[in-house]
């Protein structure tokens, strides 16, 4: 979790919304003649799968993409059948006959159960000369279960409003179950927050502005229980500070809270009694 450090959810054009990880790089796309055919078998190797996905786009081969897609796919924020996703690609290829792309700066990460591999990369639209962060998830059988813009790579993705007036947005980004705004509201309605207010009636989120100390959640292949330590990789959650507006001390910081937007779990660090800085949690409605 990072301490004191809009939302642009693109309308999906079927080739990808018009919208950096570590340095490994996927080779530039092969020629159209090398693209997989609709009868191609699906490989289990993530690098080969991503190459096939990329080549199919450059060959404008919607049939090959349908072969790669799972029966159900999360396609730029909308759940649909793989056949429907491929049909949208087919229409997009027809509308943009000169479309070509390349993929760069690819990283792969497995989920803890080994059931999925997440590929993150920069997609270069060679036609429009623009680059977009992308996320493609493959299941254990080697099929694409998600193709999306990697929106959460932008650390400000969950804010709306102009500079000086920004605040958490109310947009729920699939597969999250909470928006930044509803995460704050759920935390403030929690038993833990009510207990804070009982001891500190001035407890408030956002006394220095709603984005001060607020960290947007990132999508993580392998989320872990928060440590509440800065930079310790627990950025999978929304995190924000609670201040005591009645405090007379130099700092009015009262607590740090984290909310997991998928499991809807609140986390905080308990220093009271003999807890010794133990991480506590509470399920949110």
């Amino acid at each position: 979790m990072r301490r004191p450090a809009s939302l642009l959810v693109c309308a999906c054009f079927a080739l990808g919304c018009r919208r950096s990880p570590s340095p490994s790089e996927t080779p530039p796309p092969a020629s159209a003649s090398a693209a997989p055919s609709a009868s191609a078998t699906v490989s289990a190797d993530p690098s080969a799968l991503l190459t096939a996905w990329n080549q199919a786009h450059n060959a404008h081969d919607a049939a090959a993409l349908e072969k790669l897609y799972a029966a159900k796919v999360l396609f730029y924020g909308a759940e649909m059948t793989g056949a429907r996703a491929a049909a949208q690609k087919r229409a997009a290829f027809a509308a943009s006959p000169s479309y070509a792309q390349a993929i760069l700066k690819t990283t792969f990460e497995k989920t803890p159960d080994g059931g999925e591999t997440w590929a993150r990369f920069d997609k270069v639209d060679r036609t429009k000369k623009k680059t977009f962060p992308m996320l493609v998830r493959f299941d254990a059988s080697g099929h694409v279960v998600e193709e999306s813009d990697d929106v959460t790579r932008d650390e400000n993705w969950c804010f709306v409003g102009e500079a000086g007036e920004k605040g958490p947005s109310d947009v729920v980004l699939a597969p999250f179950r909470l928006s930044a705004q509803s995460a704050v509201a759920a935390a403030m309605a929690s038993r833990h927050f009510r207990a804070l207010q009982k001891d500190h009636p001035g407890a408030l989120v956002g006394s220095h502005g709603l984005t001060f100390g607020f960290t947007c959640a990132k999508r993580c292949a392998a989320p872990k229980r928060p440590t509440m330590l800065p930079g310790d990789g627990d950025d999978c959650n929304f995190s924000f500070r609670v201040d005591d507006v009645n405090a007379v001390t130099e700092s009015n910081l009262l607590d740090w809270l984290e909310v997991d937007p998928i499991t809807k779990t609140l986390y905080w660090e308990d220093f009271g009694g003999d807890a010794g800085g133990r991480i506590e949690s509470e399920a949110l409605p």
Side-chain angles (χ1 to χ4, degrees):
M1 179 184 67
R2 291 191 300 272
R3 297 299 192 238
S6 255
L7 173 61
L8 176 60
V9 176
C10 305
C12 176
F13 174 54
L15 294 175
C17 291
R18 300 305 184 224
R19 273 254 306 138
S20 267
S22 62
S24 78
E25 184 169 306
T26 303
S31 65
S33 61
S37 69
S39 61
T41 56
V42 175
S43 164
D45 175 57
S47 182
L49 288 169
L50 191 59
T51 297
W53 177 87
N54 189 50
Q55 289 176 342
H57 280 81
N58 284 302
H60 294 196
D61 191 344
L65 286 170
E66 184 171 355
K67 188 75 175 179
L68 286 169
Y69 289 140
K72 297 287 186 181
V73 60
L74 181 59
F75 191 70
Y76 298 97
E79 290 190 353
M80 63 183 67
T81 64
R84 182 181 171 194
Q88 291 194 18
K89 292 282 186 175
R90 186 176 289 108
F93 293 146
S96 300
S98 63
Y99 179 79
Q101 68 177 41
I103 50 181
L104 306 171
K105 299 180 180 177
T106 305
T107 61
F108 294 102
E109 185 179 8
K110 284 192 176 294
T111 55
D113 62 2
E116 290 186 3
T117 299
W118 291 29
R120 282 189 154 106
F121 54 92
D122 288 342
K123 181 183 74 176
V124 181
D125 183 334
R126 290 182 160 182
T127 308
K128 295 189 174 182
K129 295 180 171 51
K130 293 183 177 179
T131 300
F132 311 99
M134 287 287 297
L135 170 64
V136 174
R137 290 166 43 219
F138 298 100
D139 64 15
S141 70
H143 290 90
V144 175
V145 292
E146 179 180 359
E147 180 181 320
S148 298
D149 293 296
D150 197 1
V151 175
T152 66
R153 209 191 301 178
D154 178 356
E155 64 181 16
N156 295 315
W157 74 264
C158 70
F159 300 144
V160 290
E162 301 299 324
E165 298 181 358
K166 285 186 178 180
S169 81
D170 62 356
V171 174
V172 179
L173 179 69
F176 291 173
R177 299 165 61 205
L178 291 171
S179 67
Q181 191 176 107
S182 59
V184 173
M188 292 180 68
S190 67
R191 294 188 305 275
H192 172 64
F193 194 84
R194 290 199 301 270
L196 277 179
Q197 285 185 313
K198 184 177 179 180
D199 294 333
H200 304 274
L204 182 68
V205 174
S207 67
H208 295 282
L210 285 173
T211 60
F212 181 76
F214 196 108
T215 301
C216 297
K218 290 182 171 55
R219 294 195 56 196
C220 301
K224 63 181 183 179
R225 187 177 177 86
T227 63
M228 312 302 284
L229 296 174
D232 201 45
D234 50 349
D235 293 1
C236 310
N237 303 327
F238 292 113
S239 67
F240 41 92
R241 57 183 283 157
V242 180
D243 297 310
D244 185 350
V245 296
N246 296 335
V248 293
T249 55
E250 183 175 350
S251 171
N252 64 354
L253 175 63
L254 184 61
D255 203 359
W256 284 101
L257 302 180
E258 293 198 16
V259 174
D260 185 321
I262 295 179
T263 65
K264 298 176 74 173
T265 304
L266 172 68
Y267 295 98
W268 69 94
E269 193 167 8
D270 185 0
F271 289 99
D274 56 1
R278 184 174 60 213
I279 306 301
E280 301 285 359
S281 64
E282 176 185 334
L284 299 173

